[in-house]
Amino acid sequence: MTTTIEQKLASLGITLPTPTPPLANYVPVVRTGNLLFVSGQVSIDGAGKITTGKLGGGVSIEAGQAAARLCAINILAQVKANIGDLEKVVRVVKLVAFVNSAPEFTDQPKVVNGCSDLLVEVLGDKGRHARSAVGIAALPFDAAVEVEAVVEIA
């Protein structure tokens, strides 16, 4: 028996939240052809709490990975809200991740693995993607991590 993406999420104890509406002048997802461009998703949980702070400035790599995992959950929530069924995902093409970093912090790729690992765990090979992990001086709302995605759909 094949496990669906929704079943995989449930087995991990993940319930996708209702996507947060944009807090500025943009749309959360743009569809062009068979590609979805998902605007940057910050590390906000289902209760509306944002993981904040700087990596290398009080936020541990493990806390950063958990924040990046929240970004992945929010990306999946935006995709589902846009196409209705995660089974239509052909693959995650590209992630661009921004890590709120102290100047000397250089482990952004380790932090962003929290997002990448969840996408692969949930989507299998369809979750493998190209990626950039960038350290940045500040993010909106002092979020620890923000990730945008390009997703191919059927």
Side-chain angles (χ1 to χ4, degrees), residues 34-35 109 139:
N34 64 342
L35 294 176
L139 285 170

Side-chain angles (χ1 to χ4, degrees), residues 15-152:
T15 301
L16 295 180
T18 300
T20 304
L23 300 173
N25 188 15
Y26 67 93
V27 294
V29 179
V30 169
R31 181 177 181 172
T32 181
N34 64 342
L35 294 176
L36 296 179
F37 291 81
V38 182
S39 294
Q41 300 297 301
V42 296
S43 46
I44 186 168
D45 67 18
K49 182 179 183 299
I50 298 175
T51 304
T52 60
K54 289 194 181 299
L55 277 290
V59 177
S60 69
I61 289 175
E62 294 77 18
Q65 289 170 332
R69 180 180 169 95
L70 285 172
C71 295
I73 291 168
N74 292 325
I75 288 167
L76 291 171
Q78 290 289 0
V79 169
K80 183 176 179 183
N82 191 271
I83 62 174
D85 181 3
L86 290 173
E87 297 302 321
K88 294 178 183 176
V89 171
V90 172
R91 79 169 306 155
V92 177
V93 177
K94 170 94 187 214
L95 298 180
V96 179
F98 305 95
V99 178
N100 188 352
S101 301
E104 68 282 354
F105 185 76
T106 60
D107 282 330
Q108 290 83 4
K110 288 182 185 175
V111 171
V112 179
N113 281 344
C115 180
S116 296
D117 291 349
L118 181 68
L119 291 173
V120 172
E121 187 172 10
V122 170
L123 301 171
D125 283 340
K126 296 191 286 186
R128 297 192 186 285
H129 49 269
R131 182 180 94 176
S132 298
V134 179
I136 194 156
L139 285 170
F141 314 108
D142 194 33
V145 182
E146 180 176 349
V147 182
E148 63 182 51
V150 179
V151 179
E152 182 184 1

Side-chain angles (χ1 to χ4, degrees), residues 4-24:
T4 68
I5 294 167
E6 295 286 344
Q7 290 168 330
K8 184 64 177 176
L9 287 166
S11 75
L12 295 170
I14 297 171
T15 301
L16 295 180
T18 300
T20 304
L23 300 173

